[in-house]
Amino acid sequence: MNGADLLVSALENEGVKEIFGVPGEENLDIVEALRRSRIKLVVTRHEQAAAFMAATHGRLTGEAGVCLSTLGPGALNLTTGAAYAQLGAMPMVMITGQKGVLSRKQARFQVVDVVSTMTPLTKMAHQIISPATIPAIVREAFRVAQQERPGAVHLELPEDIAAEQAPEISPVPPHAIALPVAHPAALDRAARLIRDAERPLVMLGAAASRPRLAEALSDFVRRLQIPFFNTQMGQGAVTGGSRLYMGTAALSERDYVHDAIERADLIISIGHDTVEKPPFLMGPDRPKVLHVGYLPATVEEVYFPHAELIGDVGPSLALLADRLEGKLPRAGALLPLREQILARIGERAEESRYPLTPQRIVHDVRQVIPEDGIVCLDNGMYKIWFARNYRTRVANTLLLDNALATMGAGLPSAMMAAMLYPTRRVLAVCGDGGFMMNSQELETATRLGLNLVVLIIADNAYGMIRWKQAADGFPDFGLTFGNPDFVAYAKAYGVKGSRVESADGLAPALETAFAGGGVHLVTVPIDYSENMRVLVDELRAHASKNGGQS
Ligand SMILES: Cc1ncc(C[n+]2csc(CCOP(=O)(O)OP(=O)(O)O)c2C)c(N)n1
Ligand SMILES: [Mg+2]
């Protein structure tokens, strides 16, 4: 038994089934230990993709995903994934190699202080210096990664420690942990605030999407009948509450959903994490906010709750509902605004313009994705349209990153979703910019035999930035590019590709792609003139009609 064997047996003990990564020579003892284990080594074509996949494993299951890289260059390629997991509260454990620490036969070749690099990007970054410590350190790494607020953890295993002989030491068994529930005094205070509210509104934030919360949240909303909206990352956490859904706050202000937010006198903010772009801006004369979370709210210029309910969110909400069910005659005060808000959001969804409008693309995608199908977005302008217009009824069926908001994660996150849920439809939606940041993973996806469709939204530009440039009054400059022939590109990977050539062509192209199985790529041109028309001009006009809020 050596250090690498102890590491791999500790990972098996945590229930790890796959490790994603690109090994280097410093990892070869780990690779050998993996060969003899129950854990599958999934080689990717870039470490960044491995980290995005591991993070998404954590996001979707609550159990940390694991990725592996070599020292220096490989470890540095994990850093964007570390930040993605850390800001997005996704449990992930990264394992990197290092030159030997007991002797220095290669001097400083490839040596970077990876632990220091990872320290500000993780909850914990640690170099292992003795095999005997490995079982406890691995258990600690998973505990830290998975406990609220979840995030990234880094372990560095130098090659000589990995190779060092060690006695067999049993792994530390994990145990179930029940979190404390909110204090009765806090529950009473929260109940009083809600009972006194004239126009209450629930907001579901990023932490509301934790996999274990879906049922408890849905119960809370159904029992109290208070209408709700969600942040971008809070999409889809409530099943069966669609009659109470008021919209998604994809922008920070002025959108139609803000009509309800502006009129609310109390917002019950469940699981809001201020890593997200603000769903609304608090000010001195804005509504009171009750923060419900696993952890206290971080105080920001735009978020400073007036009361908090801290503890295990599901059981705490059940206790709150016990105090309030049937006692809130004004629960639905804001509901009359609902129809108008949703009607405005739904406009132009069936327009036959070519290239397609963003609204039409969202609409047609919804047509071909069943309720439990999963749409995974990369980052670009279309993310705002999907966040705003795509209705979800099942938790974690619209995966987007409104925290690090990095380009390049769309395809890897969809690959992970397809691995975890092989019988559900999974669609990656990527811009022509973001797709090309990790498009090499098409090879990994085909090698893994995944069923996955990738939709490329093509505008030959970094459209989001181009839009902001125009909205800020700058001349159009520096943000366009040429694309490869995506259908030929797909073919080179052994992937089937098709191009949408008419307004009515998208839904059938996606349907054919899903029906065919395997990996498919569909490319669709988009008309982004709607960005300015709706998200700037129309919303500005709407705001001035409503009394000049901006
Ligand atoms: C790694 C990274 N680089 C740069 C950015 C800044 N950025 C945000 S959106 C965007 C443009 C995305 O272009 P594309 O993927 O083509 O989507 P589009 O907006 O054109 O639909 C850029 C450059 C980012 N978020 N992440
Ligand atoms: Mg683009």
Side-chain angles (χ1 to χ4, degrees):
M1 196 148 252
N2 62 20
D5 295 322
L6 282 171
L7 175 78
V8 170
S9 92
L11 295 174
E12 282 182 326
N13 178 59
E14 297 294 333
V16 174
K17 296 194 179 59
E18 301 103 11
I19 293 186
F20 306 93
V22 181
E25 63 180 292
E26 292 69 24
N27 306 123
L28 285 174
D29 277 292
I30 300 179
V31 172
E32 172 56 16
L34 286 172
R35 187 180 68 82
R36 288 185 272 107
S37 77
R38 296 191 298 273
I39 300 174
K40 182 174 171 188
L41 173 62
V42 177
V43 170
T44 56
R45 307 308 299 269
H46 193 292
E47 291 85 353
Q48 195 183 83
F52 289 149
M53 291 181 77
T56 304
H57 181 284
R59 177 182 196 171
L60 287 173
T61 65
E63 288 157 20
V66 183
C67 55
L68 173 74
S69 83
T70 187
L71 75 176
L76 293 173
N77 275 351
L78 290 179
T79 52
T80 304
Y84 174 76
Q86 183 71 355
L87 267 68
M90 308 176 198
M92 171 170 82
V93 173
M94 297 172 286
I95 297 164
T96 63
Q98 188 53 285
K99 294 290 179 205
V101 283
L102 303 177
S103 68
R104 268 198 175 215
K105 296 219 165 37
Q106 295 196 352
R108 278 187 271 174
F109 177 59
Q110 287 193 306
V111 173
V112 169
D113 183 350
V114 178
V115 173
S116 294
T117 305
M118 288 292 186
T119 298
L121 301 174
T122 55
K123 294 177 81 178
M124 165 182 149
H126 191 86
Q127 183 186 55
I128 298 171
I129 50 160
S130 123
T133 59
I134 289 175
I137 286 174
V138 170
R139 178 78 279 272
E140 175 66 358
F142 279 76
R143 182 188 75 77
V144 171
Q146 287 167 189
Q147 83 179 11
E148 289 292 337
R149 177 181 184 273
V153 167
H154 167 238
L155 296 179
E156 179 178 80
L157 182 60
E159 61 180 345
D160 50 3
I161 310 299
E164 190 176 320
Q165 289 306 306
E168 190 164 342
I169 308 170
S170 300
V172 182
H175 55 260
I177 297 177
L179 295 176
V181 177
H183 191 281
L187 283 161
D188 288 343
R189 198 176 306 125
R192 210 173 318 121
L193 263 175
I194 298 173
R195 243 193 323 262
D196 289 348
E198 302 277 342
R199 295 172 306 280
L201 195 56
V202 167
M203 178 179 91
L204 303 177
S209 298
R210 299 280 193 271
R212 63 179 175 282
L213 250 184
E215 261 322 293
L217 271 182
S218 304
D219 275 356
F220 177 76
V221 170
R222 275 196 300 263
R223 287 176 71 188
L224 296 198
Q225 294 291 307
I226 299 175
F228 71 92
F229 70 104
N230 47 252
T231 67
Q232 292 195 31
M233 291 177 84
Q235 269 268 15
V238 171
T239 42
S242 60
R243 213 183 44 78
L244 297 167
Y245 170 75
M246 302 287 281
T248 298
L251 307 174
S252 298
E253 53 187 345
R254 289 209 295 236
D255 205 348
Y256 297 110
V257 71
H258 293 95
D259 290 358
I261 298 170
E262 295 287 344
R263 282 173 183 74
D265 63 344
L266 175 70
I267 293 182
I268 304 155
S269 160
I270 302 176
H272 180 46
D273 191 327
T274 57
V275 289
E276 280 206 81
K277 188 181 267 190
F280 65 97
L281 306 174
M282 282 184 73
D285 49 354
R286 299 289 167 104
K288 274 210 163 65
V289 171
L290 165 65
H291 174 86
V292 182
Y294 292 101
L295 298 172
T298 50
V299 175
E300 313 281 349
E301 268 174 72
V302 293
Y303 191 70
F304 42 91
H306 303 89
E308 303 195 41
L309 190 66
I310 306 306
D312 196 359
V313 172
S316 300
L317 286 177
L319 291 174
L320 187 59
D322 289 346
R323 284 164 164 76
L324 293 170
E325 191 172 4
K327 295 179 188 154
L328 298 176
R330 297 182 296 274
L334 289 171
L335 264 182
L337 295 174
R338 176 174 183 272
E339 226 164 274
Q340 214 179 336
I341 293 171
L342 297 186
R344 293 310 299 257
I345 296 289
E347 278 171 9
R348 295 185 178 230
E350 289 170 78
E351 201 176 327
S352 297
R353 207 188 304 171
Y354 184 85
L356 283 77
T357 61
Q359 298 93 316
R360 177 78 196 258
I361 292 176
V362 176
H363 172 270
D364 286 12
V365 165
R366 186 65 279 188
Q367 300 300 305
V368 299
I369 302 288
E371 284 210 339
D372 70 346
I374 303 176
V375 174
C376 301
L377 304 183
D378 203 276
N379 262 278
M381 193 62 216
Y382 55 88
K383 186 180 84 174
I384 294 185
W385 290 102
F386 269 86
R388 200 171 172 261
N389 293 30
Y390 189 84
R391 290 279 299 276
T392 55
R393 291 187 178 78
V394 176
N396 287 310
T397 51
L398 180 66
L399 289 196
L400 54 79
D401 164 24
N402 188 33
L404 185 65
T406 180
M407 294 162 73
L411 175 59
S413 65
M415 287 164 58
M416 190 69 243
M419 277 182 89
L420 286 168
Y421 306 108
T423 59
R424 288 160 70 171
R425 281 191 174 181
V426 177
L427 177 73
V429 180
C430 307
D432 42 8
F435 172 69
M436 291 300 285
M437 287 200 181
N438 271 317
S439 62
Q440 76 285 348
E441 301 305 330
L442 284 176
E443 189 282 311
T444 312
T446 41
R447 176 164 28 92
L448 291 170
L450 300 180
N451 291 319
L452 174 66
V453 178
V454 183
L455 178 64
I456 300 179
I457 310 270
D459 66 336
N460 289 61
Y462 292 120
M464 170 94 157
I465 311 303
R466 199 179 184 199
W467 169 62
K468 293 218 159 141
Q469 186 181 50
D472 289 352
F474 291 111
D476 185 14
F477 174 74
L479 292 163
T480 56
F481 48 68
N483 276 318
D485 174 341
F486 283 121
V487 175
Y489 187 78
K491 200 165 160 225
Y493 284 95
V495 166
K496 292 189 204 78
S498 62
R499 193 173 290 110
V500 175
E501 276 163 345
S502 71
D504 297 328
L506 175 58
L510 290 174
E511 197 53 59
T512 308
F514 278 115
V519 182
H520 282 248
L521 192 147
V522 177
T523 171
V524 62
I526 193 163
D527 179 354
Y528 268 152
S529 61
E530 285 295 282
N531 297 337
M532 196 58 91
R533 197 192 64 74
V534 177
L535 300 178
V536 177
D537 300 340
E538 186 182 297
L539 292 182
R540 198 171 280 156
H542 173 70
S544 61
K545 205 169 65 204
N546 272 5
Q549 306 138 358
S550 66

